[in-house]
Amino acid sequence: MDPREFWGKSSKFWLCLILLFAVLLGFYSNVFSLISTWQREESQSQDTHSVVLQRMQPEKKESSERDCHLDTCRIPEVPRLVYPKAQLLKPTRVDVLVMTPWFAPIIWDGTFDSAILDAQFRNITVGLTVFAIKKYVVFLKLFLETAEKHFMVGHKVNYYVFTDQPANVPQIPLQEGRQVVVLEVRNYKRWQDISMHRMEMISNFSQQRFLREVHYLVCLDVDMKFSDHVGVEILAPLFGTLHPGFYRGDRQSFTYERRPLSQAYIPRDEGDFYYAGGFFGGSVPEVYRLTMACHQVMMADQANGIEAVWHDESHLNRYLLYHKPSKVLSPEYLWDEHMLQRPPLLRKLRYVAVPKNHAEIRNR
């Protein structure tokens, strides 16, 4: 073979081999580069995710503490109990509505088991707010005496008595774990102003002390008495009570504020129920939001020279229309035997009006 032919073929072979080696070297170099890049990106992603989680966790905890005050949103463990089994195909009440369209239970006799509920709520403290201003202080003794017999029996209770006459608050024997807390406040010339300023006072004291002292607030009228069991079945993040004068009516009959100029205005084609201003409540944060909001819109109305037709009750109804309560109490929890005939569907009357001369009481 001619040496030139040999070296010519040999050089082509080695050149192809070198070019192939270079291609493979470049390919693997790119692969290793990509792997390194992926590792850095994954590491950065994990670091970023860790930072995001660290930032989110305190916010979540803060939100939880704000919205689930003192563990009111936790599902409690219930001890062993013996009780009748609920019959799925045999409802205990078929004569009344027991659930709202937004899945809030309506509380009637026969719809709950007190033993189970007492076990669920065994470690809570309930605050009861009541206003005994001017001549309304005369109702306080009967109110407290009947509360000790029927209200949250077996549970811790703080009776928060708002009054302009601390010396006239009666001394009532109390069960263990219950106390009367007297909160001195000013009075107002008109009973309407006293009624409307309740929202301001409850919101102020909720922020100042109730948030630290109780789990739930129940806000009641003082010119009433307890006549049967009122227990933890009423407790929920936010609850309202059906007004005894309107529980049968349609929304056209409700005495909502109908003037568009008022912050309490509700159009005639809106409305779920008509709620009573004398019995509402919920967790302390929710009651604070409700009372603060109602106070603010009442001040806005006042600045515009308008007063809602039923004062704080009108604003309460507006608030509960757009902030649906998580539980609704039936008229068992607020009734007037002297003005209304008791229907058969009311198996119990739990909280009833005391006979009085409204004009004499309100105008003195």
Side-chain angles (χ1 to χ4, degrees):
M1 176 181 291
D2 189 343
R4 287 177 297 180
E5 184 179 352
F6 171 80
W7 285 110
K9 291 181 179 181
S10 179
S11 62
K12 290 179 181 179
F13 169 79
W14 286 108
L15 180 61
C16 289
L17 188 63
I18 293 170
L19 288 173
L20 178 62
F21 177 76
V23 169
L24 291 175
L25 182 63
F27 171 77
Y28 284 108
S29 176
N30 288 335
V31 169
F32 288 124
S33 177
L34 284 172
I35 292 174
S36 178
T37 301
W38 290 339
Q39 288 177 338
R40 285 198 304 272
E41 289 178 352
E42 184 177 358
S43 176
Q44 290 173 355
S45 176
Q46 290 176 347
D47 291 343
T48 303
H49 184 60
S50 176
V51 171
V52 170
L53 283 176
Q54 290 175 2
R55 289 177 179 174
M56 288 177 64
Q57 285 173 350
E59 292 176 2
K60 183 176 180 181
K61 181 180 179 182
E62 181 181 349
S63 175
S64 174
E65 289 174 352
R66 179 177 66 250
D67 295 334
C68 303
H69 171 63
L70 296 179
D71 286 342
T72 55
C73 289
R74 290 185 62 186
I75 304 300
E77 181 181 356
V78 176
R80 183 181 181 277
L81 297 170
V82 177
Y83 52 86
K85 178 188 176 298
Q87 299 297 316
L88 188 63
L89 302 181
K90 296 180 180 179
T92 56
R93 296 296 295 261
V94 295
D95 55 336
V96 292
L97 184 68
V98 298
M99 186 73 70
T100 70
W102 59 92
F103 283 128
I106 304 176
I107 311 304
W108 303 86
D109 182 56
T111 61
F112 60 89
D113 189 316
S114 293
I116 300 174
L117 293 171
D118 282 335
Q120 286 183 309
F121 287 91
R122 65 187 180 276
N123 294 320
I124 56 104
T125 301
V126 178
L128 186 159
T129 69
V130 65
F131 286 76
I133 295 176
K134 299 173 78 170
K135 205 167 184 180
Y136 278 84
V137 74
V138 301
F139 299 107
L140 199 51
K141 185 174 187 297
L142 180 62
F143 177 91
L144 292 172
E145 287 176 343
T146 57
E148 278 298 287
K149 292 180 182 178
H150 301 294
F151 181 75
M152 301 291 168
V153 176
H155 297 276
K156 297 177 182 178
V157 174
N158 288 358
Y159 296 106
Y160 294 112
V161 178
F162 292 78
T163 183
D164 60 334
Q165 305 165 60
N168 291 331
V169 176
Q171 299 294 315
I172 302 295
L174 301 174
Q175 303 170 42
E176 184 180 357
R178 298 157 81 97
Q179 61 176 327
V180 173
V181 180
V182 179
L183 303 173
E184 186 172 3
V185 295
R186 60 163 292 189
N187 63 39
Y188 294 84
K189 184 177 181 180
R190 299 189 315 144
W191 69 267
Q192 295 94 332
D193 292 324
I194 295 173
S195 180
M196 289 191 291
H197 279 280
R198 290 189 305 179
M199 294 294 189
E200 177 187 19
M201 297 178 200
I202 292 172
S203 66
N204 287 343
F205 278 92
S206 292
Q207 192 174 39
Q208 293 171 15
R209 62 183 300 171
F210 298 161
L211 281 164
R212 301 191 307 273
E213 297 177 354
V214 296
H215 299 86
Y216 294 91
L217 281 176
V218 180
C219 306
L220 303 180
D221 280 349
V222 72
D223 53 346
M224 309 282 289
K225 67 176 181 180
F226 293 89
S227 54
D228 211 317
H229 167 90
V230 176
V232 295
E233 75 278 358
I234 73 173
L235 299 180
L238 183 64
F239 68 82
T241 303
L242 300 180
H243 195 291
F246 299 98
Y247 72 98
R248 289 181 179 271
D250 58 24
R251 58 173 56 135
Q252 300 300 322
S253 68
F254 295 163
T255 54
Y256 291 150
E257 175 55 64
R258 300 301 190 183
R259 295 169 293 175
L261 290 177
S262 173
Q263 296 292 320
Y265 169 67
I266 296 176
R268 292 190 178 275
D269 59 350
E270 293 187 45
D272 301 312
F273 305 105
Y274 191 87
Y275 300 99
F279 201 136
F280 66 91
S283 67
V284 182
E286 286 298 336
V287 173
Y288 170 73
R289 294 184 188 108
L290 182 156
T291 53
M292 174 59 73
C294 287
H295 170 62
Q296 289 174 343
V297 292
M298 282 190 282
M299 292 301 98
D301 268 6
Q302 187 179 70
N304 292 324
I306 190 169
E307 189 172 279
V309 59
W310 286 109
H311 318 106
D312 54 327
E313 186 174 83
S314 297
H315 291 281
L316 173 69
N317 272 275
R318 164 87 182 197
Y319 186 90
L320 293 180
L321 174 59
Y322 299 116
H323 303 79
K324 306 292 189 192
S326 44
K327 192 172 284 186
V328 175
L329 308 186
S330 72
E332 293 176 4
Y333 292 87
L334 189 66
W335 194 257
D336 192 328
E337 296 178 280
H338 305 279
M339 297 183 67
L340 300 166
Q341 184 177 358
R342 178 180 178 178
L345 59 85
L346 288 183
R347 299 177 182 177
K348 292 187 176 183
L349 298 180
R350 304 174 186 274
Y351 187 58
V352 296
V354 174
K356 53 190 167 292
N357 183 325
H358 284 281
E360 181 183 355
I361 293 294
R362 288 174 173 177
N363 297 327
R364 296 187 60 181

